[in-house]
Amino acid sequence: MHHDPYWPRASAWLVSSSPQPQFAVLGLPVNQSITPGNCHLAPEGVRDALKFFSTYDVDQDLDLANLSVKDFGDLSETALADLLPSLPPTVILGGDNGVTRFGVNAIGLPLDRIGLITLDAHFDLRHIDDGFHNGNPIRALLEAGMPGRNIHQIGIQSFANSSAYARIAKDAGITVRSADFVHSNGMAETLQNSLESLSAQVDAIYTDLDIDTIDRAACPGAPGARPGGIHAFQARQFARIAGAHPKVRVMDIVEFDPKLDQNRVTVMACAACLLSFASGVLSRK
């Protein structure tokens, strides 16, 4: 690739590996999907895609060269639980959406003191009778003691869910904002309202960015994506605004299957969201 000393690549920034990072990245290649796939290959794919990006956020006039970072590599669920409580704001690269259950539990706080915002086309409230998988992390967290009032779900799509699971969300007190709601009201306003509401009642917030919330035409590498989803730039907005909030500890990026991608469309969306979250973290300074 072309080398220009005045155009530093985000891939070089990620491997700079500060001993006292202000921002952390790690992979959790969980692959327990309802539909067999290859989400476990995603962390390395997203890291590699950073070579196509610079470190400069023109909208915020911020350069990630000023944010010290450390990539902790790919971890097991046990290693995540040991490490995450001591880390600065962190992006977890999944893996399928089962990552969210592990990540929330690994924060190290009681579940009633954690807020959860999902950007997802699906409720992920399927039953857990047959074990844990990418279709039930929110159901598992509810049954483990997370209050429904602590959960906000953004980007939920019509004809990608069932009325039975919608009733579970309603009965639990989960706040639901559909993809159509986001299109009508804007991502910034929708997310800011959720952050404001949750920050008044919890000590830490976990954000889950399931890329299948993005319109399928712009996200071929997400098997669960459907027509009518949000735009890729709205996913970047979500990531940046979440990263800027002082109570947001973690954002995961999940449900990317590299073997389904076309022309790097999906992997570059994932990489852009990682960098946007980092830019938000930098703006906290």
Side-chain angles (χ1 to χ4, degrees):
M1 298 184 74
H2 176 71
H3 174 67
D4 181 343
Y6 301 103
W7 204 97
R9 297 183 185 276
S11 53
W13 164 74
L14 183 63
V15 300
S16 57
S17 196
S18 169
Q20 294 183 314
Q22 299 162 306
F23 174 65
V25 174
L26 58 89
L28 194 66
V30 174
N31 195 24
Q32 300 171 338
S33 301
I34 297 172
T35 303
N38 299 280
C39 291
H40 62 291
L41 303 177
E44 199 53 44
V46 176
R47 291 182 179 103
D48 182 66
L50 292 175
K51 66 189 178 188
F52 298 106
F53 292 84
S54 78
T55 58
Y56 180 58
D57 184 341
V58 66
D59 287 310
Q60 307 303 312
D61 191 24
L62 294 172
D63 196 320
L64 297 184
N66 298 310
L67 182 69
S68 59
V69 61
K70 183 171 182 179
D71 183 354
F72 287 84
D74 291 353
L75 304 180
S76 68
E77 296 88 342
T78 301
L80 175 72
D82 292 338
L83 184 62
L84 190 62
S86 64
L87 292 184
T90 300
V91 163
I92 300 176
L93 299 173
D96 66 36
N97 219 149
V99 163
T100 302
R101 179 175 68 91
F102 293 116
V104 169
N105 284 311
I107 284 180
L109 294 172
L111 290 177
D112 64 352
R113 302 308 307 161
I114 301 173
L116 172 60
I117 301 176
T118 74
L119 184 62
D120 197 334
H122 307 97
F123 288 116
D124 288 345
L125 287 169
R126 292 176 183 266
H127 62 79
I128 61 174
D129 300 347
D130 299 322
F132 301 118
H133 50 68
N134 68 330
N136 61 22
I138 309 307
R139 181 71 167 270
L141 289 168
L142 281 176
E143 297 199 7
M146 175 171 271
R149 67 178 180 275
N150 287 18
I151 302 172
H152 287 223
Q153 297 197 283
I154 298 172
I156 301 296
Q157 287 200 51
S158 295
F159 311 113
N161 295 281
S162 73
S163 59
Y165 295 130
R167 283 195 298 273
I168 290 174
K170 183 176 181 180
D171 291 346
I174 294 173
T175 297
V176 176
R177 299 288 182 254
S178 69
D180 284 4
F181 183 96
V182 174
H183 286 310
S184 297
N185 295 274
M187 178 60 74
E189 179 180 342
T190 303
L191 179 55
Q192 291 284 17
N193 287 342
S194 287
L195 288 167
E196 181 178 345
S197 174
L198 286 174
S199 63
Q201 63 192 48
V202 300
D203 299 321
I205 297 173
Y206 185 105
T207 52
D208 160 40
L209 199 168
D210 181 337
I211 59 163
D212 71 19
T213 191
I214 299 174
D215 189 280
R216 190 172 182 86
C219 202
R226 298 289 182 269
I230 68 167
H231 303 304
F233 86 87
Q234 292 174 313
R236 286 175 52 193
Q237 275 187 309
F238 176 94
R240 180 182 56 77
I241 294 168
H245 196 279
K247 283 197 174 181
V248 172
R249 292 276 304 279
V250 180
M251 183 181 79
D252 67 35
I253 302 174
V254 297
E255 292 294 323
F256 166 47
D257 184 338
K259 292 197 174 182
L260 298 178
D261 208 4
Q262 300 175 26
N263 197 29
R264 301 192 183 99
V265 170
T266 313
V267 73
M268 292 183 79
C270 294
C273 288
L274 184 161
L275 296 174
S276 295
F277 185 85
S279 178
V281 172
L282 181 56
S283 74
R284 297 185 192 187
K285 299 170 62 178

